[in-house]
Amino acid sequence: IIGFHGNEVKAQTSGYTWKNAPIGGGGFVTGIFTHKTTGDRYCRTDVGGAYRWDAANNKWVQLLDWLGDSQADLYGVEALALDPQNANNIYLLCGTNYTGNGKSAILKSTDKGNTFTYTDLTNTFKVHGNGEGRGNGERLAVDPKNGNILFCGTRANGLWKSTDAGLTWNLAWSGVTTTTNGNGICFVVFDPAGSVVNGVSQTIYIGVSRTGAGNIYKSTNGGATFTDITAT
């Protein structure tokens, strides 16, 4: 390292310690989550990735800093889901429609976010972590009785279901697709006190981002059909 002092030039060869520069959280925090069994805490942001709380070191740990420039669209985390039966399993619904190639993906971790596997959903449904209504609720949910089953509400493509822990997805319900505000189905909630058939939760609620009738739907058969409970 060369330093200048008056008319002298001096070489500094020691006395410096090189480390990574700490970068604070980026984006608007759109959701905070605690695993009910272990107390593990996570948060998601609209353009700045997702974080896990490191209690031992009193700091938030960025979970998506492994993404490269070509994957910057995945820093928009639209939903985060924890597996109630297995605290190691977390899922991120990622995508930003105006960044990069506007990719959509499910990122799954089986070690609390230390590493992830990637399922590309760009041609299945569109995700926009920085879209309107990004803090309305969680579009992605894991069945509390069966960790292989997930439902995902989308902005413009209806309700989707996975039966293999997020690897593949199929359209489960298209009773509502788009809404005028572009937010679509904004939350999915399993009723933990609802009936269970063959190890699968039967009672599910989904929220649609609009006012008046037609904004809360209920299923009592594991998502096979849904009924508008705000119609009366």
Side-chain angles (χ1 to χ4, degrees), residues 4-90:
F4 293 89
H5 183 267
N7 294 324
E8 299 179 356
V9 178
K10 296 183 178 181
Q12 178 72 45
T13 59
S14 63
Y16 288 93
T17 300
W18 294 93
K19 300 178 181 179
N20 292 332
I23 299 175
F28 162 49
V29 176
T30 47
I32 299 177
F33 316 86
T34 302
H35 196 279
K36 293 183 179 180
T37 301
T38 63
D40 296 324
R41 282 180 283 173
Y42 300 85
C43 71
R44 63 177 173 90
T45 71
D46 51 6
V47 296
Y51 297 80
R52 183 186 66 242
W53 177 246
D54 179 355
N57 294 295
N58 196 38
K59 67 178 182 178
W60 290 95
V61 177
Q62 169 64 258
L63 303 182
L64 297 183
D65 55 3
W66 51 271
L67 292 171
D69 289 345
S70 64
Q71 299 169 306
D73 31 19
L74 300 183
Y75 272 104
V77 183
E78 186 156 62
L80 188 153
L82 305 179
D83 183 344
Q85 293 187 321
N86 188 339
N88 291 315
N89 296 339
I90 69 170

Side-chain angles (χ1 to χ4, degrees), residues 151-170:
F151 280 88
C152 182
T154 69
R155 290 179 175 271
N157 304 100
L159 181 71
W160 289 72
K161 179 181 181 180
S162 174
T163 58
D164 56 9
L167 292 176
T168 61
W169 293 83
N170 293 288

Side-chain angles (χ1 to χ4, degrees), residues 135-220:
N136 282 174
E138 292 315 293
R139 304 171 183 276
L140 187 64
V142 183
D143 187 337
K145 305 300 182 181
N146 189 325
N148 288 320
I149 295 177
L150 293 87
F151 280 88
C152 182
T154 69
R155 290 179 175 271
N157 304 100
L159 181 71
W160 289 72
K161 179 181 181 180
S162 174
T163 58
D164 56 9
L167 292 176
T168 61
W169 293 83
N170 293 288
L171 182 63
W173 184 71
S174 58
V176 174
T177 52
T178 59
T179 54
T180 56
N181 61 8
N183 200 19
I185 298 172
C186 59
F187 70 76
V188 179
V189 176
F190 287 91
D191 184 350
S195 62
V196 179
V197 177
N198 297 323
V200 176
S201 298
Q202 298 298 295
T203 305
I204 307 167
Y205 294 89
I206 58 175
V208 177
S209 186
R210 60 189 179 192
T211 58
N215 56 22
I216 302 289
Y217 289 78
K218 178 181 180 180
S219 175
T220 57

